[in-house]
Amino acid sequence: MNADRLPPVAPEVTATLVEGLSPRLRKRLDAAVTKLAARPVHRDGDTTTIEVDDETELRLHAPGGVVAQVGDIACGCLLAPACVHRAAAACAAPTADLAPPEPAEQPTPEAAGPASATDPTPVAASASATHRTSVVDPATDPTSVTATVPASATHRASGTDSAPGPGPAPAPGLTPDAAPAPPETATPDQRAAADALWAAGAAVLEAGVDGAGAVAQSALLRAAHTARLRHLPRAAGAALSVVTLLRAARAGDPSYRTAELVTALAELLGTARRVATATGTELAAVRGRVRRPYSPDGSLRLYGLFTEPVVTDSGHGGVRTWVAGADGRLFTVGDVAPGGVGRALGVADRAVRLGDSALTHRELGRAGLAVSGATVSPDGRLGAGKSVKAVTARGAAWTEPPLAALWETPPAEQAARALRSTSRYADPDGTGSDLLFLDVELLGAVREPGGTCLLALSEGGVPVRLTAADDDPALAHRDNLALLAAAPGTRLRIIGRLIPAAHPRLTLLACSHPTGAGTVDLGLDRLRRADLPDPAAPVHFAPPQPAGPGAPSPLYLLERRVEQTVPAGRAALGMLGDVTAETRRIRRGGLPTAAALLTALCASAAQRERDHFGRLLPADTDGFAAYWLAAARYSAAVSESLCSAAWNPTGEDQGVSGGPPAAAARPAI
């Protein structure tokens, strides 16, 4: 049985069914999930039937596509409804991401976050308000991860305090009625929900993937459901991501990556920890949003850049077309739905869903639009509401204004901007994109452990490694990259997506045609050998690049231990023993905080105290989770700083959000 064939189940339904099992059945739940996954599944309208055995059927009723009630899962066995089959089916099905019910009355500012459906005013977010992480010595503060916002971003609650009683004297010239109110803080219910999320996430970290079965996942789902009801959608969404990745890891899904679960766990723990201390604007970012807000943006004159195919691991496919405004802002028009790579290739030639325009996505990538009544989301997506009007207009070449200005920004500044928008733990609603616009000279192919990439020399003499955005042979990325490797010395104007690494690295999305005739969408358009300056040239391998100053950063020693915790849990890390050699090497690399974090993390993992009778006491899961969170956030921040330094050969600080100062020794390319 493929889990995708089952309808999504609401988190509270799964949690309720698991919580209703007896202790004996809970021990059998994981085995029941595995057994049920091998049984045939049939779907008839809103009802999905699973054949438990030759005589028993399990039915999931999903009106509207989602199993939203406990009674919608029914089993025909003799032990029903107290059987293990209902809970196993809920645990095997995908998790539905539902919005909380709308409040019955207008909530007060203290009781409702920015996710309230009754609050139409979006919370403004800008790059200057992006939070920064900092790490202090874990020997004195195990929580280690703090968040700060600029003083200019301080939020002031509306209204005045009418309660009598003594209080601080107002500033000179201010009456008591005009005194500023204290910044908004989380409610007790929100703090309690955040504490439950922290406890559930710490339990997953304690047990690891191998020990985080259906029972541990149901605890996360229950905490996520409670957090949604308390208007904490960001933390709830992180919890659902952790559950999805845990299920993928335990099922052996080939698309699963441990690094993704590390990021999701750190996002969950970090957000839950910040709820209690955040105030004002920072609290609004920590709470997050349920729905993507689209705000009016008036009239826009747009110029097409390129179109990229989008294929996801969940089986969705489509395209995303990038356009730029007259002021240089980037926008996207997308069409993604279930269908995979076949749909991505077909949708490229369908009309864009925007106003009355008859342009296809391919055509829009090279033409222009005049839009009135435009609506735009914080990440630049253009809305397609009924009030939006759009007509075809003349486009612009990449070498003409206003598009030419995109290539005039120095690569180091572009990389810093892209890092701010793609930071693993950045607050939501941030602006900016992860695209870079470069003029390069192709040097040839470079062999790497994972395959072959294309080496190019960008402005300022920075070598950049260009990789295919998707290896699917149905798309043109891989073949086009191989052809370009056969044309060393060719100068191109390219658009790529930043890959955070210790050396400059991009996925190549679009480029100017090698002959200068137009542009190429490298995922959709296929180059031919006749398009290259020298059609007979074989693939050219670039000579080894000279090593840059200094040695590669030893940060991977800390990152490795952070990742090792996730599959096997705290116990595996506690068995490492002495890590003095590793910490000594990290200190020699100029990262004393990383060395202190590694020492504290391993010491916390190995610490088990005994009572007076020599029996082991329960492990300090909260303390270990705090050290692990500090190590994960710190290593991510340093990695981003090293990436920024690699793009900046002059060594000037580009102000990457969330990162400490760049290391003195820049890693070799």
Side-chain angles (χ1 to χ4, degrees):
M1 177 184 69
N2 190 336
D4 292 337
R5 296 178 60 189
L6 296 179
V9 178
E12 64 272 20
V13 172
T14 304
T16 300
L17 289 173
V18 174
E19 292 165 358
L21 295 176
S22 64
R24 179 180 64 86
L25 290 180
R26 288 192 185 189
K27 295 179 181 180
R28 297 172 49 189
L29 181 56
D30 289 328
V33 173
T34 303
K35 183 178 179 180
L36 205 63
R39 302 303 301 169
V41 177
H42 306 283
R43 176 172 289 187
D44 183 12
D46 292 336
T47 302
T48 301
T49 304
I50 306 174
E51 296 181 7
V52 178
D53 53 39
D54 294 339
E55 299 179 353
T56 306
E57 288 185 344
L58 182 67
R59 295 185 178 181
L60 291 82
H61 184 54
V66 175
V67 179
Q69 303 291 334
V70 173
D72 290 339
I73 303 181
C75 182
C77 73
L78 296 177
L79 296 178
C83 63
V84 74
H85 303 132
R86 299 169 70 216
C91 292
T95 301
D97 190 1
L98 298 178
E102 296 187 8
E105 59 184 21
Q106 179 70 23
T108 62
E110 292 78 10
S116 301
T118 54
D119 183 7
T121 306
V123 178
S126 64
S128 62
T130 303
H131 98 283
R132 292 178 173 267
T133 58
S134 61
V135 180
V136 298
D137 189 351
T140 58
D141 181 7
T143 60
S144 294
V145 178
T146 61
T148 60
V149 293
S152 60
T154 302
H155 171 76
R156 296 181 181 275
S158 60
T160 58
D161 185 3
S162 59
L174 290 178
T175 64
D177 289 340
E184 180 187 1
T185 59
T187 66
D189 285 344
Q190 289 178 332
R191 294 193 182 100
D195 290 342
L197 284 169
W198 171 274
V204 169
L205 194 62
E206 172 77 13
V209 171
D210 296 338
V215 175
Q217 295 169 23
S218 71
L220 265 176
L221 293 176
R222 172 62 69 192
H225 174 61
T226 304
R228 282 234 183 250
L229 295 179
R230 300 293 182 266
H231 302 288
L232 297 175
R234 178 179 177 182
L240 296 184
S241 297
V242 170
V243 172
T244 300
L245 291 169
L246 283 174
R247 291 177 176 178
R250 293 174 63 86
D253 190 334
S255 64
Y256 165 76
R257 298 292 182 270
T258 300
E260 294 180 1
L261 184 52
V262 169
T263 300
L265 261 175
E267 168 70 8
L268 169 62
L269 294 172
T271 305
R273 176 57 59 91
R274 290 173 61 194
V275 168
T277 58
T279 60
T281 304
E282 183 191 357
L283 177 60
V286 171
R287 285 171 172 163
R289 294 181 182 273
V290 176
R291 301 173 180 86
R292 183 183 304 277
Y294 282 81
S295 57
D297 206 342
S299 299
L300 296 174
R301 178 67 168 88
L302 304 176
Y303 301 85
L305 280 167
F306 71 101
T307 300
E308 63 171 325
V310 178
V311 181
T312 68
D313 294 333
S314 61
H316 288 67
V319 294
R320 181 188 300 118
T321 299
W322 290 81
V323 296
D327 56 356
R329 286 188 299 162
L330 299 181
F331 305 92
T332 59
V333 182
D335 186 351
V336 180
V341 66
R343 187 180 189 279
L345 294 174
V347 169
D349 294 316
R350 294 183 187 175
V352 175
R353 299 176 181 175
L354 193 66
D356 299 326
S357 172
L359 291 174
T360 66
H361 280 274
R362 284 181 189 264
E363 294 170 342
L364 176 58
R366 296 172 175 84
L369 277 180
V371 183
S372 62
T375 58
V376 184
S377 71
D379 61 356
R381 299 189 187 190
L382 289 170
K386 295 181 179 180
S387 61
V388 178
K389 307 296 180 182
V391 295
T392 305
R394 191 186 74 86
W398 288 2
T399 55
E400 300 174 354
L403 299 185
L406 297 172
W407 279 265
E408 296 174 359
T409 304
E413 292 184 20
Q414 295 190 51
R417 178 208 64 213
L419 279 171
R420 284 193 293 270
S421 66
T422 61
S423 177
R424 279 176 273 181
Y425 308 113
D427 285 334
D429 290 347
T431 58
S433 76
D434 55 357
L435 299 184
L436 270 70
F437 304 82
L438 304 177
D439 289 308
V440 300
E441 178 183 348
L442 303 183
L443 300 180
V446 173
R447 292 188 177 94
E448 294 184 325
T452 303
C453 67
L454 177 61
L455 187 67
L457 198 64
S458 72
E459 180 184 347
V462 177
V464 181
R465 301 195 180 200
L466 307 175
T467 64
D470 197 310
D471 288 331
D472 193 311
L475 300 176
H477 291 293
R478 188 174 60 183
D479 294 340
N480 286 336
L481 202 70
L483 276 177
L484 291 175
T490 303
R491 294 182 177 273
L492 295 175
R493 178 159 279 193
I494 67 170
I495 301 175
R497 177 168 288 114
L498 178 72
I499 300 177
H503 56 268
R505 194 176 187 89
L506 300 175
T507 54
L508 191 56
L509 301 175
C511 69
S512 58
H513 198 281
T515 62
T519 61
V520 181
D521 296 335
L522 291 170
L524 301 171
D525 304 328
R526 290 189 179 273
L527 291 170
R528 301 178 180 179
R529 286 198 172 272
D531 296 323
L532 302 181
D534 184 2
V539 175
H540 175 78
F541 283 90
Q545 295 298 301
S553 169
L555 182 67
Y556 76 92
L557 296 172
L558 177 62
E559 293 175 325
R560 181 176 61 181
R561 301 309 182 194
V562 169
E563 288 197 3
Q564 283 179 343
T565 307
V566 172
R570 179 195 58 80
L573 198 63
M575 297 170 59
L576 290 177
D578 188 16
V579 292
T580 303
E582 295 183 15
T583 56
R584 186 183 299 115
R585 182 176 175 186
I586 294 174
R587 291 183 186 278
R588 285 201 302 265
L591 298 172
T593 304
L597 281 169
L598 179 58
T599 301
L601 179 64
C602 294
S604 178
Q607 183 179 6
R608 290 297 302 271
E609 298 181 354
R610 297 179 181 270
D611 60 16
H612 296 296
F613 299 99
R615 296 171 297 191
L616 282 174
L617 295 173
D620 182 12
T621 57
D622 285 347
F624 175 72
Y627 282 115
W628 182 88
L629 173 62
R633 296 291 294 264
Y634 174 84
S635 59
V638 173
S639 295
E640 292 171 4
S641 183
L642 292 174
C643 177
S644 178
W647 282 93
N648 187 26
T650 63
E652 296 178 0
D653 183 16
Q654 296 296 327
V656 178
S657 174
R666 198 162 56 249
I669 295 177

